[in-house]
Amino acid sequence: MEKRVSPAEVRESAEIKTYVKMADDTLGALGFTEHSYAHVTKCAETASWILRELERPERDCELAWIAGYLHDIGNLINREDHAISGAVMAFTLLSKMGMVPEETAKIAAAIGSHDEYDAARPVSDISAALILADKSDVRRSRVRTGANLSSDIHDRVNYAVESSEVTLDKSESALTLTLGIDTAICPVMEYFEIFLQRMLLSRKAAEYLGLVFRLVINGQRLL
């Protein structure tokens, strides 16, 4: 029977909890930063908040939350092409839960388009909000090794981030990611070395929503 699957049902699903945890375990074994409940919950909340601030339909805000919560489960299978495998997994899970096909399709399309490969593009409001939420989650607590940094640039960049905030100024139609970076740990140039493609995708996502994307690091606007 088709129904309106709620964010609460997705969050409380034992099966989905298992896949979120095991996807993060896989990435941990590969040396990637945290992609567990903290990351997916933050993405879910930020994506739904963006659409709510833009006064999109409430159901779209809920679907953005679900897409944010499920967007990284494909890492359970493999990091490569995880957006595609995650979209297929989400399609299967939500269909089994009885979600309306049109809504299942919207979430699968958003997840399948969220990663920064060549074909990644925002394809809907939900998709654009998910991209912005995912690419803006840069923070020290995502580093698994704490202050015992390896030579991995991703660890250095994330650990260097002392503060991170996403704001939306409707009067200027601008979404801003504001970061405070300890340049003794990571020079700003290293941030761009690994995140430039993500920021360019964020710009496309913001434009899809009728917004300008801004990046401010240590008080200086860089995008």
Side-chain angles (χ1 to χ4, degrees):
M1 180 181 297
E2 296 175 2
K3 63 178 182 178
R4 288 168 63 98
V5 175
S6 69
E9 288 178 87
V10 171
R11 183 179 60 243
E12 293 164 9
S13 164
E15 185 175 9
I16 289 173
K17 286 179 181 178
T18 297
Y19 297 150
V20 170
K21 180 183 183 303
M22 294 188 70
D24 182 58
D25 289 347
T26 298
L27 291 181
L30 295 172
F32 284 88
T33 52
E34 176 268 324
H35 285 69
S36 190
Y37 301 114
H39 173 61
V40 300
T41 300
K42 185 174 181 64
C43 287
E45 292 175 348
T46 301
S48 60
W49 168 79
I50 289 170
L51 294 191
R52 200 164 280 115
E53 285 292 299
L54 294 174
E55 300 179 0
R56 297 306 198 261
E58 180 59 27
R59 185 54 179 166
D60 280 358
C61 300
E62 292 180 348
L63 295 180
W65 194 101
I66 294 170
Y69 197 79
L70 296 178
H71 80 281
D72 267 342
I73 57 174
N75 287 301
L76 169 64
I77 297 173
N78 197 295
R79 178 62 179 173
E80 186 173 351
D81 293 329
H82 76 279
I84 305 303
S85 53
V88 175
M89 290 178 67
F91 182 91
T92 302
L93 287 164
L94 295 172
S95 295
K96 187 166 65 173
M97 294 174 76
M99 179 174 275
V100 177
E102 182 181 356
E103 294 185 347
T104 302
K106 288 180 179 179
I107 291 173
I111 294 173
S113 302
H114 87 271
D115 201 29
E116 59 269 19
Y117 50 87
D118 291 342
R121 295 287 190 281
V123 296
S124 67
D125 286 355
I126 295 166
S127 166
L130 171 59
I131 288 169
L132 289 165
D134 183 38
K135 307 315 171 191
S136 66
D137 187 19
V138 189
R139 51 188 164 82
R140 176 169 290 183
S141 57
R142 294 193 69 184
V143 179
R144 300 177 192 271
T145 58
N148 298 316
L149 300 179
S150 66
S151 60
D152 184 74
I153 188 173
H154 293 83
D155 282 353
R156 286 201 306 277
V157 169
N158 279 278
Y159 194 81
V161 176
E162 298 179 312
S163 61
S164 175
E165 182 181 21
V166 177
T167 55
L168 201 161
D169 186 337
K170 288 190 282 187
S171 66
E172 295 188 3
S173 297
L175 185 140
T176 303
L177 172 60
T178 302
L179 302 175
I181 291 180
D182 183 344
T183 55
I185 297 173
C186 163
V188 172
M189 185 57 67
E190 282 198 346
Y191 177 88
F192 278 99
E193 184 178 338
I194 64 170
F195 284 146
L196 179 58
Q197 193 173 8
R198 301 182 191 186
M199 295 301 96
L200 294 177
L201 182 56
S202 294
R203 176 184 285 176
K204 291 176 184 177
E207 290 173 351
Y208 189 97
L209 294 170
L211 302 170
V212 173
F213 177 74
R214 295 174 178 169
L215 174 65
V216 176
I217 298 180
N218 293 350
Q220 182 178 0
R221 181 177 169 183
L222 300 176
L223 285 178

